[in-house]
Every structure is written in structure tokens, then in C-alpha cells.
């Protein structure tokens, strides 16, 4: 599981080289940062990204960059397991097992 603190610190200290992007699995963006690191533009952008990473809640961070089996619900971050969640047959997103409607694509689900 990726850590918000690690990502934030990487963005703050090595952000100009795109290290936080590599850490977050955004390889293409990381390479762009690396190629343009001599302009110091990536360093400036990364500084602001570090601030955004630090003010993000852990739940928001996990939902955006973390393990895809963690999903945001109105009551907070939920670890989806085979017991509680199923994959939507239409969009392959995780939905609560007894849901009648996919919250991602809106397709009708038959509870199992
Ligand atoms: Zn769906």
C-alpha cells in the first residue's frame, strides 16, 4: 500500500526529478518531470503537489493512488473483500455485494 507521507516527502525533496510520480505509478508524468528537471518548472509544480498531497485525507489518497481494493464510501474508506463486494459486470469496478445499481456506471445489478 502506498503511503501519503512518502509520496509527499518525495514530491517535496525529489519532486523536481519526478520521483513522487514514479512512486505513485505515473511513469509517463515522472519521465516528463525528469526530462524537464533542468528548467526547475517540475520542481515548482512538485512543491505545490507536495502541499496538495499533505492536505489530502488518507482516504482520498488511498482512493486515488492506493490499492484499488480500497474504495471511498460516504462512511469512509472501505477495504473491499470478496465477502462484501463484487465486480460490476459492466465496468469492472467494485460495488457492494447487495447493491441494486452500480454506483460507477449505473447499470442494474442482480444481488447474489
Ligand atoms: Zn458498473
Amino acid at each position: 500500500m502506498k503511503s501519503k507521507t512518502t509520496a509527499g516527502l518525495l514530491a517535496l525533496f525529489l519532486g523536481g526529478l519526478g520521483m513522487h510520480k514514479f512512486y505513485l505509478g505515473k511513469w509517463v508524468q515522472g519521465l516528463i518531470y525528469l526530462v524537464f528537471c533542468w528548467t526547475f518548472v517540475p520542481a515548482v509544480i512538485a512543491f505545490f503537489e507536495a502541499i496538495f498531497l499533505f492536505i489530502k485525507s488518507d482516504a482520498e489518497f488511498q482512493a486515488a493512488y492506493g490499492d484499488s481494493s480500497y474504495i471511498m464510501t460516504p462512511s469512509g474508506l472501505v477495504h473491499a473483500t470478496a465477502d462484501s463486494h463484487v465486480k460490476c459486470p459492466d465496468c469492472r469496478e467494485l460495488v457492494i455485494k447487495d447493491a441494486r445499481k452500480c454506483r460507477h456506471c449505473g447499470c442494474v445489478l442482480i444481488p447474489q
Side-chain angles (χ1 to χ4, degrees):
M1 200 163 117
K2 293 188 179 87
S3 144
K4 190 184 82 165
T5 311
T6 308
L9 290 174
L10 281 172
L12 199 58
F13 295 109
L14 297 166
L17 300 171
M19 292 304 146
H20 61 304
K21 293 289 182 189
F22 290 113
Y23 177 72
L24 294 172
K26 307 216 180 276
W27 291 89
V28 176
Q29 287 181 29
L31 283 172
I32 293 169
Y33 278 51
L34 203 55
V35 168
F36 291 102
C37 66
W38 58 275
T39 64
F40 292 104
V41 174
V44 174
I45 300 168
F47 175 76
F48 288 104
E49 283 176 332
I51 294 168
F52 285 125
L53 280 167
F54 283 124
I55 59 175
K56 240 185 214 303
S57 73
D58 275 323
E60 283 174 326
F61 178 82
Q62 289 307 331
Y65 304 108
D67 194 321
S68 61
S69 66
Y70 285 84
I71 54 171
M72 274 291 273
T73 67
S75 55
L77 190 68
V78 171
H79 188 203
T81 63
D83 288 337
S84 60
H85 292 75
V86 290
K87 273 202 167 111
C88 168
D90 234 42
C91 64
R92 313 303 301 163
E93 292 284 352
L94 286 165
V95 284
I96 299 162
K97 208 171 191 171
D98 46 284
R100 307 269 163 171
K101 204 173 160 202
C102 173
R103 67 189 185 94
H104 301 281
C105 67
C107 74
V108 178
L109 302 167
I110 300 118
Q112 290 153 349

